[in-house]
Amino acid sequence: MNLETPCLVVDEAIMKRNIARMAEVAAKNGCKLRPHTKTHKIPAIARLQVAAGADGITVAKVGEAEVMAEQGLSDIFIAYPVIGTGKIARVLALNRRIRLIVGVDSIAGATALSEAALADGQTIEVRLEVDTGMHRTGVGYEQALEFAKTLAGFSGIRLTGIFTFKGLIYEGKATLDREKAGLEEGRLLVDLAEKLRQAGIAIRDVSVGSTPTAAYAAQVPGVTEIRPGTYVFNDTMLANLGVCSPEDCALSVLTTVVSRAADYAVVDGGNKTFSTDAAQGVFPYYLKGYGRTVGDDQLILERLSEEHGIVSILPGAGEIRVGDVLAIIPNHVCTTVNLHDKLYLRRDGRIVGEAAIAGRGKVS
Amino acid sequence: MNLETPCLVVDEAIMKRNIARMAEVAAKNGCKLRPHTKTHKIPAIARLQVAAGADGITVAKVGEAEVMAEQGLSDIFIAYPVIGTGKIARVLALNRRIRLIVGVDSIAGATALSEAALADGQTIEVRLEVDTGMHRTGVGYEQALEFAKTLAGFSGIRLTGIFTFKGLIYEGKATLDREKAGLEEGRLLVDLAEKLRQAGIAIRDVSVGSTPTAAYAAQVPGVTEIRPGTYVFNDTMLANLGVCSPEDCALSVLTTVVSRAADYAVVDGGNKTFSTDAAQGVFPYYLKGYGRTVGDDQLILERLSEEHGIVSILPGAGEIRVGDVLAIIPNHVCTTVNLHDKLYLRRDGRIVGEAAIAGRGKVS
């Protein structure tokens, strides 16, 4: 099968191995796995994760939850505040069909959810998001106990867990000590859960962990669930961090050389094909260009226009001509997948199918 | 109409004024306008541009040309090398239905196109792309004459024009002297066209110009066509450069505040909603955050995760609460539109319709 480039290709065996390994991490530590599906946004892959042992999935958006529920996923955590009457109505509709859990981090959000659920005769399961250093959503760690007490008093919602995303590595502040980071993340939330229980709040789920930290966070007694996402495909960023090996990267972007100059080539993928959030300069120092060229580290995807990728040809690089196809492992696979409508599946070196990235564009 | 956020909203009156103004720039200079539709990727908007006086459109991808042709656009320039048998076959199919022009910058590319066209009994109109400093696609300026002589000897393709994209401003190397840049871009290509004509090559079309430079390039005698794209919506980058005023920005991203901390708020749009190619640090120094908050310059969209936008609340900012909606003009509108499936149209302050971004995802 001749693929039109640029396009995404996923090696099925590598993906399945990644899925199995993370399931094993959870199993051997006796905690649950609820993978974040924002990386692939494909119901069929989410079902593979569940079949391999995941206890449900995580999404960021109500629209993603809807797509996943339509395709048979029946236990979904929207790890994001649900704000606005339209979104709350959609959450209530989903809650009738599947087990749904929703993130909460404000009194305003909790009040609106509570009132709508009560009016509809429903109860929505919620988890309190706690900020452990990422400084985005989540109530402050020191304020969490008071907040949880208030939440516990609401009708129409039932507080069953707490969660956090520490995300230090993705913010470029990596100490590279993933073990320390994961253990700290887990202990912070387990300690908090204990405090809440002592105050009479029945916290069942303690949910932490990203791909770099999940294996360590899972070891902390009291952590009940990990929520890694990127591990399903892995990417150049994770390989450079040592979280995976280059051979564990399941997804590559196929591009065609469309132009040649003396010391560079141009491929048919620019910043509408490769994401730019994980770029050298603004991001971890160890990134060189916008991805890693499979089989030739002297070909660096160094500069992107919208539809042009300028590949610097360093000394020692192989011959490269107009028409050649380069496979490039993107720096950040989640945001790169988000630029595409579909991906191709490769088995034993052959393309065996394609999958629509059904949750892509379901931004609200 | 209550919109679910995040979403794109285009003010119709501003867009139509932008379209009319650029048509006037072309008309008063006696040159043609062939807008690059990569900014919106919406056939209905391309038709508005043609209705306002454009002589055809420009696209970057064969897939975009197909979408536009399906919706009635009948004069399309693919300003990009078409490489690979699959894409060439699609070009031949399009060439039977509409006036098509294709960019060429390599002997390999020209040979393949020529052979396929000959075998199919067709002639493809091509333009030679010339590199005038951008260093991506395009033959070197000094090599263009020899290259054009070779091209002119090919059957199955007919060389009718030359084109360039100097793009100095978008590369962060802006002198801010757009007049000088536009005039230089025009003169370089007009001089080259003259050289080619003296060598007996009938160059009809001399095509240059981006949104910042088009008004100046159009003034150069001998320039026959300008290809600006971003002007249809404009964006924060162009406003900060003085290319347009903030009131000329037609598109904003509506986001909802989903979380509040003491000195920041979090909105429901991250780097899957706002593009990151035009960011402070890697890009023009004059950008502050990832967009401009309409009505409150003290609210800065300073940091993005995939689905979180962290808005710094500077001294003097207005009150901001969970549930509030912020309209944010993105830094770079072309790559931001590319993240979304549709946009809403606002007329006289009311939402009157929506349009699918039909060319989005047509990356190959």
Side-chain angles (χ1 to χ4, degrees), chain A residues 14 17 233-235 239-240 244-250 292 329:
Chain A
I14 300 175
R17 189 176 67 203
F233 295 148
N234 290 315
D235 56 22
N240 285 3
C244 66
S245 80
E247 291 67 38
D248 296 326
C249 293
R292 187 176 59 79
I329 313 280

Side-chain angles (χ1 to χ4, degrees), chain A residues 2 4-7 38-39 41 60-61 64 79-81 83-87 90 105-106 108-109 129 131 134-138 165 171 173 230 256-261 264 266-269 271-273 275-282 290 303-310 322-324 332 334-335 338-341 360-364, chain B residues 2 4-7 38-39 41 60-61 64 79-81 83-87 90 105-106 108-109 129 131 134-138 165 171 173 230 256-261 264 266-269 271-273 275-282 290 303-310 322-324 332 334-335 338-341 360-364:
Chain A
N2 264 330
E4 291 288 306
T5 64
C7 64
K38 52 128 188 172
T39 303
K41 300 190 178 194
K61 296 283 180 167
E64 292 171 7
Y80 200 87
I83 304 297
T85 51
K87 288 195 177 65
R90 291 157 63 201
D105 86 338
S106 72
E129 183 171 3
D131 178 15
M134 182 75 179
H135 300 317
R136 50 181 208 191
T137 44
F165 176 72
E171 282 301 290
K173 297 177 200 125
T230 318
T256 298
V257 175
V258 296
S259 182
R260 248 317 293 267
Y264 63 88
V266 182
V267 295
D268 58 356
N271 57 39
K272 287 177 172 173
T273 297
S275 62
T276 55
D277 59 318
Q280 191 178 23
V282 282
Y290 291 92
R303 193 157 51 91
L304 302 178
S305 297
E306 287 172 47
E307 302 289 5
H308 300 73
I310 288 80
V322 168
D324 287 351
H332 189 187
C334 309
T335 45
N338 186 56
L339 294 167
H340 296 261
D341 283 349
R360 201 219 73 76
K362 303 298 180 289
V363 290
S364 69
Chain B
N2 264 333
E4 290 290 304
T5 64
C7 65
K38 53 129 186 170
T39 303
K41 301 191 177 192
K61 296 283 179 167
E64 292 171 8
Y80 200 86
I83 305 296
T85 51
K87 287 195 177 65
R90 291 157 63 200
D105 86 337
S106 73
E129 182 170 4
D131 178 16
M134 182 74 177
H135 300 318
R136 51 180 208 192
T137 43
F165 176 72
E171 282 301 289
K173 299 177 199 124
T230 319
T256 298
V257 175
V258 296
S259 182
R260 249 314 296 267
Y264 64 87
V266 182
V267 295
D268 58 356
N271 57 38
K272 287 178 172 173
T273 297
S275 63
T276 54
D277 59 317
Q280 192 179 22
V282 281
Y290 290 92
R303 194 158 50 93
L304 303 178
S305 298
E306 287 173 47
E307 303 290 4
H308 301 73
I310 288 80
V322 168
D324 287 351
H332 189 187
C334 309
T335 45
N338 187 57
L339 294 167
H340 296 262
D341 284 349
R360 201 219 72 78
K362 303 298 180 290
V363 289
S364 69

Side-chain angles (χ1 to χ4, degrees), chain A residues 59 93 100 150 156 177 210 212 247-248 273 318 347 360:
Chain A
V59 300
L100 191 73
T150 309
D177 190 344
S210 54
E247 291 67 38
D248 296 326
T273 297
R347 186 184 300 154
R360 201 219 73 76

Side-chain angles (χ1 to χ4, degrees), chain B residues 6-348:
Chain B
C7 65
L8 306 180
V9 175
V10 166
D11 188 281
E12 190 185 49
I14 300 174
M15 175 182 71
K16 287 190 169 174
R17 188 175 68 201
N18 293 342
I19 289 173
R21 280 181 184 163
M22 192 59 85
E24 201 186 308
V25 163
K28 83 172 177 205
N29 288 290
C31 80
K32 292 177 177 177
L33 170 63
R34 186 182 284 279
H36 206 310
T37 57
K38 53 129 186 170
T39 303
H40 54 74
K41 301 191 177 192
I42 297 174
I45 295 180
R47 287 198 300 266
L48 286 179
Q49 292 173 301
V50 170
D55 277 277
I57 61 167
T58 304
V59 301
K61 296 283 179 167
V62 179
E64 292 171 8
E66 289 168 337
V67 166
M68 291 292 175
E70 272 162 30
Q71 299 284 321
L73 281 301
S74 58
D75 188 338
I76 302 180
F77 173 31
I78 304 174
Y80 200 86
V82 173
I83 305 296
T85 51
K87 287 195 177 65
I88 291 175
R90 291 157 63 200
V91 156
L92 289 170
L94 275 174
N95 193 53
R96 281 185 215 107
R97 299 166 51 198
I98 62 164
R99 181 197 176 195
L100 191 72
I101 318 167
V102 171
V104 169
D105 86 337
S106 73
I107 296 298
T111 303
L113 200 58
S114 158
E115 288 173 357
L118 268 177
D120 201 50
Q122 294 196 52
T123 301
I124 306 277
E125 188 176 342
V126 302
R127 291 179 179 176
L128 172 60
E129 182 170 4
V130 183
D131 178 16
T132 49
M134 182 74 177
H135 300 318
R136 51 180 208 192
T137 43
V139 298
Y141 191 81
E142 300 302 329
Q143 287 77 51
L145 176 60
E146 280 313 302
F147 193 94
K149 283 181 186 168
T150 309
L151 267 194
F154 278 79
S155 304
I157 57 176
R158 187 171 70 245
L159 177 65
T160 58
I162 57 177
F163 75 106
T164 195
F165 176 72
K166 206 162 184 319
L168 74 174
I169 282 168
Y170 291 118
E171 282 301 289
K173 299 177 199 124
T175 59
L176 298 187
D177 191 343
R178 299 182 286 119
E179 180 172 0
K180 186 179 158 215
L183 295 175
E184 185 190 346
E185 187 180 357
R187 283 178 193 139
L188 277 169
L189 270 245
V190 167
D191 288 352
L192 180 62
E194 208 38 56
K195 258 184 234 160
L196 267 55
R197 288 178 191 125
Q198 283 165 12
I201 302 165
I203 294 300
R204 182 186 61 210
D205 301 310
V206 179
S207 174
V208 299
S210 55
T211 293
T213 64
Y216 305 103
Q219 296 172 16
V220 178
V223 163
T224 66
E225 178 185 288
I226 51 173
R227 298 188 324 278
T230 319
Y231 75 94
V232 66
F233 294 149
N234 289 314
D235 56 22
T236 294
M237 196 159 59
L238 290 172
N240 285 4
L241 277 168
V243 177
C244 67
S245 79
E247 291 69 36
D248 296 326
C249 292
L251 182 144
S252 56
V253 183
L254 295 194
T255 62
T256 298
V257 175
V258 296
S259 182
R260 249 314 296 267
D263 56 351
Y264 64 87
V266 182
V267 295
D268 58 356
N271 57 38
K272 287 178 172 173
T273 297
F274 293 91
S275 63
T276 54
D277 59 317
Q280 192 179 22
V282 281
F283 216 68
Y285 48 89
Y286 46 82
L287 290 172
K288 220 175 179 180
Y290 290 92
R292 188 176 59 79
T293 306
V294 176
D296 198 332
D297 286 336
Q298 298 304 92
L299 296 174
I300 311 288
L301 181 62
E302 195 141 13
R303 194 158 50 93
L304 303 178
S305 298
E306 287 173 47
E307 303 290 4
H308 301 73
I310 288 80
V311 176
S312 294
I313 302 172
L314 303 188
E319 189 54 45
I320 177 173
R321 277 177 293 222
V322 168
D324 287 351
V325 173
L326 298 185
I328 298 173
I329 313 281
N331 284 353
H332 189 187
V333 74
C334 309
T335 45
T336 294
V337 167
N338 187 57
L339 294 167
H340 296 262
D341 284 349
K342 63 180 173 182
L343 54 76
Y344 293 95
L345 217 59
R346 186 177 54 210
R347 187 185 298 154
D348 301 327

